[in-house]
Amino acid sequence: MGKQMKKKWAGSMLAATIAAGGILPYNVLADEAKATPQASVQTVKTTKIDREEALRIAQEFMPVPAGYTNNQVEMEDNKYIGRTLWRLTWSMQQPGDDYGGQLSISVDAKDGTILNANHWTRESERNNLLPGKLDTTSLVNQANALINKHYAKYASQMKLSEDSLESFKRGSMPYMDSLYFMRLQNGIPVTDQGLRISYDKKGKIRSVDFSWDDVQFESISNLKNKDEILHQVERELEMELAYLSNVSQPGGKIELAYAPKLKTSSDLYNVVPGLLIDAKTGKQISAIDGKELNASTDVNRPLSTAKTTPPSSVNIDEAQAIAKIKEFGILKDSMSVEQKGYREESHPVKRKVWEIYAVESEGERKQVRASLDAQTGELVNYSQYGMPYNEKMENPDKIKVNISRQQAEKTAEAFIRKALPGRLDKLYAVEATPNYYNGDTDKILNYNVSFVRKENGIRVVGEGATVNVDADTGEITDYNMMWSVQALPALTNVIKPEEAKKKAMTLMEAELRYNLIPPYGSVGTGKVRKAKPVYVLAVKANGQPYDYGTSYLDARTGEWKTHGNLPVNNSGQSISDIAGHPLQKELQNMVDANLLEVKDGKLNPDQKLTRGEAVKIFYTAARQPYEYYGPGQESFFTDVDENSEIKQAAEWAVQNRLLPRSVKQLRPNDPATREFLAELIVRGLGYDKLAAKEGIFETKLQDEAAINKKGNAALVTRLQVMTPNDKNEFEPARQVTKAETAVAVYRYLQIKESFME
């Protein structure tokens, strides 16, 4: 797992662990409720809102559909959010199935506030193929009515986010389906505080999430104005060249970008300026503890000034791998190896790996997982967990800090020197970052120490190695190495840093907000979370922020570019070459629904497509998740190159039955004919076997004799997904254009959706 993804998962898992650790022994109560949901249950903790009142409040907020049965009533003391709450769940059981639907609602046991609600059904699990046409004015009015009824004491401090409203209207992404009402304090939005209401495409509420913590707000006296902040940032912002690797896309190449100068390990993946500025001092600060950030003094120091050479292929066996892992000191003689194995992987890089899982059965009962490169003998990743960590998460009083930041950095560096001796001249240390328990800056769980990979003195974004050092024992608890093998681009014809900074500043916007310090978790007994007035600075285009992980400033052209395979987002973009086109209306609908890609304001509607290009239009219209059909799998087709732009689309088409598994060649560069297009549509609808039966779908097309798969042609014309020409000819061998393919795909999605309903 890549470091960026691993970091996101680690944060989510930490939150889940903390939340789970806060559950009181009310699970017995929950079990009784599941067995006899209507029975009266005596709670073991006195709260203002008892069981029956919680059920009444929940059902008034979101009525329970017919056929649903109450199968969970659980009280939870959630230390992570600092609330005692009721968790209530109703489910609909279907014969021969698990759940046909589930309704979950959480109610604050102190004041009856609805904290969250979620209604899931089998129907909602199906992909929304086309964005819904919703009356946003009506939905906003309904949302305000809901707030006035169920959140009356907070209503005067809420304001609808214009950004969320615009995203909702555009339907720019499959997940942009919510209205967000921001919490205001002194007229200033409070980050991540407020009410989010999400809808399905028919306008029914799908989920509600409410976040409103007890906070001590700093005064807003002596704040710098927005212009002062922007001028100060422009003076102090430093941009540097960076290599931006793209291992998530087949054939992805390293790009040369300009990125903000690295300051902390939390910025390892930043290639677009995103700054948090203290609104009073004008200084950049950390979002975790609010402390001022300075450029790291170690980031320019390689671990070795002498040239080191990565190990050549040594092809170690299992016994050698285990011995090597023992050399690193992470597999001790007292541990028993429970699992060991070998695998070959192609993502994030091609390599052969030995993997072991070992357990310390005595004492602290630690568990260890480690992976070793079978060709180089280098440690790929390592993690240690067990009783000590679990005990700390359950009882934070057991968290002890015996190791300083400087000691952690020395320990991590010594470990890297042992694990990656052949790469020391390319690794640069970044100042350690403490990881706090539940946001409590007095309780440090461990330190994250990063070692950045540099080539030619230029940072390779997201690559190198990271080490976690336990703040109590000083042990290495986690390690990960990422090192791609893509060719580096030449350092020629690059713009100057000052020009790159100007390019960034032209799109930089500053928003005044209150930020919670720390931004998540409770701050412990007797403490109050504070909120600091800050300016959030981000690069935006057309009012929409760039995703720092996927967009970058090209170091040669100075243009902002998209990095990776992202969902299309063309809403509001004008098209210069479809005016007067016979299919103009349909094409515009496709663009507005973000189902068709526009480049440089042009669609090229009359471009004749190859088979590969036609498949890609289906894939683009499906709006598949980023990386979902990535390079982690071998190519299904023998004639689709690993580096081809249409590889992901082709793999997706096989997975979704648009292309048959019986044929191993796609012939991606051959012309896409109307008969090929009809086959994709019929297979996508699931009627290919039926259409193949003679006489099921009859056609009266004039050129029927020239059609190989007559059932397909008959079905797509009867459904009016594709239409014959003026002579009532299907023209099976004619090469299709982008316009007619796009329109056929749009109609196909409409038909498929109506079949689902």
Side-chain angles (χ1 to χ4, degrees):
M1 185 180 288
K3 177 60 184 171
Q4 185 176 22
M5 189 64 70
K6 187 172 183 180
K7 186 176 179 182
K8 292 178 181 177
W9 276 109
S12 299
M13 290 303 294
L14 176 62
T17 304
I18 295 170
I23 297 176
L24 290 175
Y26 299 128
N27 292 317
V28 175
L29 169 66
D31 290 339
E32 291 179 18
K34 291 174 186 176
T36 55
Q38 302 306 319
S40 176
V41 180
Q42 181 64 39
T43 65
V44 295
K45 180 175 181 177
T46 302
T47 59
K48 184 175 180 180
I49 305 299
D50 62 17
R51 175 187 186 277
E52 298 306 322
E53 179 66 1
L55 286 166
R56 185 196 66 78
I57 292 171
Q59 293 175 82
E60 181 184 6
F61 183 82
M62 190 173 283
V64 178
Y68 280 59
T69 302
N70 177 215
N71 63 349
Q72 181 188 38
V73 178
E74 176 179 286
M75 184 183 286
E76 176 184 318
D77 185 20
N78 193 308
K79 292 184 176 66
Y80 186 70
I81 63 173
R83 291 179 186 262
T84 300
L85 53 93
W86 287 100
R87 291 195 183 277
L88 314 169
T89 303
W90 292 262
S91 298
M92 178 175 66
Q93 196 83 23
Q94 290 184 338
D97 204 346
D98 46 358
Y99 289 119
Q102 181 170 289
L103 173 63
S104 300
I105 301 177
S106 296
V107 181
D108 191 300
K110 180 180 178 181
D111 61 13
T113 302
I114 299 291
L115 300 177
N116 56 67
N118 185 279
H119 187 200
W120 171 89
T121 65
R122 282 284 176 209
E123 290 294 321
S124 66
E125 193 176 56
R126 296 170 175 160
N127 287 334
N128 286 344
L129 302 175
L130 298 170
K133 299 293 184 181
L134 299 177
D135 182 348
T136 53
T137 301
S138 176
L139 288 182
V140 169
N141 290 336
Q142 292 173 30
N144 281 318
L146 180 144
I147 291 171
N148 290 329
K149 181 176 181 180
H150 296 283
Y151 299 94
K153 70 177 182 178
Y154 305 100
S156 63
Q157 295 173 268
M158 283 195 210
K159 179 184 178 183
L160 176 62
S161 163
E162 293 299 325
D163 284 347
S164 82
L165 180 59
E166 289 305 310
S167 294
F168 191 95
K169 287 179 178 178
R170 287 195 309 270
S172 54
M173 298 285 185
Y175 48 83
M176 295 291 190
D177 56 359
S178 60
L179 296 176
Y180 182 56
F181 292 82
M182 304 177 295
R183 177 182 183 179
L184 299 180
Q185 180 70 26
N186 300 319
I188 300 171
V190 184
T191 301
D192 295 331
Q193 296 276 289
L195 179 71
R196 185 175 297 278
I197 308 174
S198 298
Y199 301 85
D200 64 20
K201 65 177 186 173
K202 294 182 179 179
K204 292 182 64 176
I205 293 178
R206 185 172 56 195
S207 66
V208 173
D209 287 290
F210 179 72
S211 179
W212 203 285
D213 297 326
D214 290 331
V215 178
Q216 180 181 326
F217 291 93
E218 286 188 13
S219 72
I220 55 172
S221 59
N222 302 318
L223 298 186
K224 292 181 178 292
N225 62 45
K226 188 180 298 187
D227 290 338
E228 285 181 282
I229 293 294
L230 287 170
H231 287 314
Q232 185 163 329
V233 167
E234 187 168 14
R235 287 194 302 271
E236 298 178 359
L237 178 65
E238 293 182 82
M239 301 289 283
E240 62 179 1
L241 284 173
Y243 291 119
L244 183 59
S245 61
N246 187 7
V247 296
S248 61
Q249 189 176 23
K253 299 177 182 178
I254 287 185
E255 307 290 351
L256 193 59
Y258 262 106
K261 191 172 183 179
L262 187 64
K263 289 192 174 183
T264 70
S265 59
S266 61
D267 296 327
L268 289 176
Y269 303 93
N270 287 13
V271 290
V272 174
L275 311 174
L276 193 67
I277 307 294
D278 189 309
K280 294 185 178 181
T281 66
K283 298 295 183 180
Q284 185 179 355
I285 60 173
S286 163
I288 302 297
D289 55 22
K291 294 180 180 179
E292 186 177 325
L293 296 179
N294 295 304
S296 173
T297 55
D298 290 335
V299 78
N300 295 316
R301 178 180 65 88
L303 297 190
S304 173
T305 54
K307 183 175 177 58
T308 57
T309 305
S312 57
S313 182
V314 292
N315 293 318
I316 63 177
D317 60 23
E318 180 184 287
Q320 291 171 319
I322 293 177
K324 191 75 175 176
I325 293 173
K326 284 185 176 181
E327 286 180 22
F328 297 134
I330 59 180
L331 178 61
K332 298 179 173 58
D333 291 335
S334 58
M335 292 181 172
S336 61
V337 177
E338 301 291 322
Q339 295 177 5
K340 51 190 175 182
Y342 168 85
R343 72 172 188 273
E344 297 182 6
E345 58 186 22
S346 58
H347 183 66
V349 294
K350 286 187 176 181
R351 60 190 172 200
K352 300 174 181 179
V353 175
W354 286 106
E355 191 169 59
I356 66 112
Y357 167 67
V359 175
E360 176 75 79
S361 57
E362 301 297 331
E364 295 180 328
R365 298 177 65 181
K366 294 176 183 175
Q367 302 172 59
V368 163
R369 288 189 184 276
S371 297
L372 194 81
D373 191 306
Q375 292 169 293
T376 67
E378 295 175 310
L379 192 64
V380 175
N381 53 59
Y382 156 73
S383 62
Q384 170 189 291
Y385 48 97
M387 285 178 60
Y389 180 80
N390 293 338
E391 288 173 356
K392 290 175 184 177
M393 300 310 292
E394 293 172 2
N395 183 2
D397 291 335
K398 292 190 175 184
I399 297 173
K400 308 297 180 185
V401 181
N402 295 314
I403 303 297
S404 69
R405 185 197 301 259
Q406 291 74 20
Q407 288 173 313
E409 290 170 350
K410 289 181 180 179
T411 299
E413 183 174 322
F415 185 79
I416 290 295
R417 289 183 180 279
K418 189 184 298 184
L420 301 171
R423 303 183 189 269
L424 299 180
D425 65 323
K426 303 291 179 64
L427 288 170
Y428 294 69
V430 181
E431 188 177 77
T433 301
N435 293 318
Y436 303 110
Y437 168 82
N438 216 6
D440 188 341
T441 54
D442 293 330
K443 298 187 185 301
I444 301 174
L445 289 167
N446 52 54
Y447 297 93
N448 178 272
V449 190
S450 297
F451 298 86
V452 176
R453 176 190 177 190
K454 286 191 177 184
E455 299 285 349
N456 306 311
I458 297 171
R459 175 165 60 104
V460 184
V461 176
E463 296 199 12
T466 58
V467 179
N468 275 10
V469 180
D470 190 285
D472 180 7
T473 65
E475 289 183 297
I476 306 294
T477 57
D478 191 84
Y479 158 89
N480 189 69
M481 187 266 277
M482 175 61 195
W483 206 287
S484 67
V485 293
Q486 297 161 310
L488 299 172
L491 299 173
T492 56
N493 302 318
V494 298
I495 63 175
K496 294 182 179 180
E498 282 302 311
E499 186 177 350
K501 183 165 74 170
K502 287 180 181 178
K503 295 281 186 180
M505 292 304 303
T506 56
L507 295 179
M508 190 81 78
E509 294 187 13
E511 297 179 358
L512 180 61
R513 290 181 177 270
Y514 268 113
N515 257 41
L516 274 57
I517 307 292
Y520 53 85
S522 61
V523 291
T525 306
K527 296 182 180 179
V528 179
R529 179 179 291 169
K530 296 181 179 180
K532 177 187 287 291
V534 299
Y535 280 99
V536 179
L537 273 75
V539 169
K540 291 189 174 184
N542 300 321
Q544 297 304 305
Y546 277 91
D547 179 347
Y548 64 76
T550 52
S551 299
Y552 68 99
L553 181 65
D554 189 298
R556 293 191 179 90
T557 66
E559 298 174 318
W560 291 100
K561 292 186 176 179
T562 299
H563 178 238
N565 183 26
L566 290 175
V568 180
N569 186 8
N570 297 311
S571 293
Q573 188 174 164
S574 60
I575 311 171
S576 62
D577 60 351
I578 64 171
H581 194 280
L583 298 173
Q584 178 181 352
K585 181 180 178 181
E586 291 89 341
L587 291 172
Q588 189 65 57
N589 285 340
M590 284 282 282
V591 172
D592 291 343
N594 292 299
L595 303 177
L596 190 61
E597 192 171 12
V598 177
K599 289 186 178 181
D600 301 322
K602 292 185 178 181
L603 193 60
N604 298 318
D606 297 322
Q607 172 192 344
K608 291 185 177 181
L609 300 183
T610 64
R611 288 163 61 95
E613 290 167 339
V615 169
K616 190 176 179 182
I617 287 184
F618 278 83
Y619 174 64
T620 302
R623 300 197 284 192
Q624 290 301 305
Y626 178 54
E627 288 187 24
Y628 192 69
Y629 294 92
Q633 56 191 30
E634 296 297 326
S635 292
F636 177 83
F637 295 103
T638 59
D639 58 350
V640 175
D641 189 83
E642 179 73 25
N643 298 333
S644 170
E645 288 187 0
I646 62 102
K647 191 233 177 183
Q648 283 179 312
E651 300 295 327
W652 168 85
V654 173
Q655 296 281 351
N656 287 271
R657 293 192 72 258
L658 272 74
L659 293 170
R661 289 186 172 275
S662 58
V663 181
K664 293 290 186 177
Q665 289 190 322
L666 175 60
R667 308 198 315 275
N669 298 319
D670 285 3
T673 64
R674 280 173 57 83
E675 188 154 35
F676 176 68
L677 181 59
E679 180 182 2
L680 292 174
I681 292 167
V682 172
R683 289 187 63 87
L685 292 173
Y687 288 123
D688 49 302
K689 291 183 179 180
L690 191 63
K693 292 186 179 294
E694 188 174 347
I696 297 294
F697 297 108
E698 295 182 357
T699 175
K700 296 181 180 179
L701 295 164
Q702 292 299 311
D703 55 352
E704 182 176 348
I707 304 172
N708 292 318
K709 296 186 177 181
K710 298 177 176 57
N712 287 352
L715 184 58
V716 295
T717 52
R718 287 192 178 187
L719 290 173
Q720 297 183 333
V721 178
M722 296 175 67
T723 55
N725 63 18
D726 294 340
K727 299 177 182 178
N728 197 34
E729 295 171 334
F730 186 70
E731 302 177 280
R734 179 170 65 77
Q735 187 174 8
V736 293
T737 65
K738 181 186 283 189
E740 64 180 312
T741 302
V743 171
V745 169
Y746 189 68
R747 293 170 181 166
Y748 149 74
L749 292 177
Q750 290 177 312
I751 293 292
K752 187 171 184 178
E753 192 164 85
S754 68
F755 285 179
M756 282 183 174
E757 294 176 354

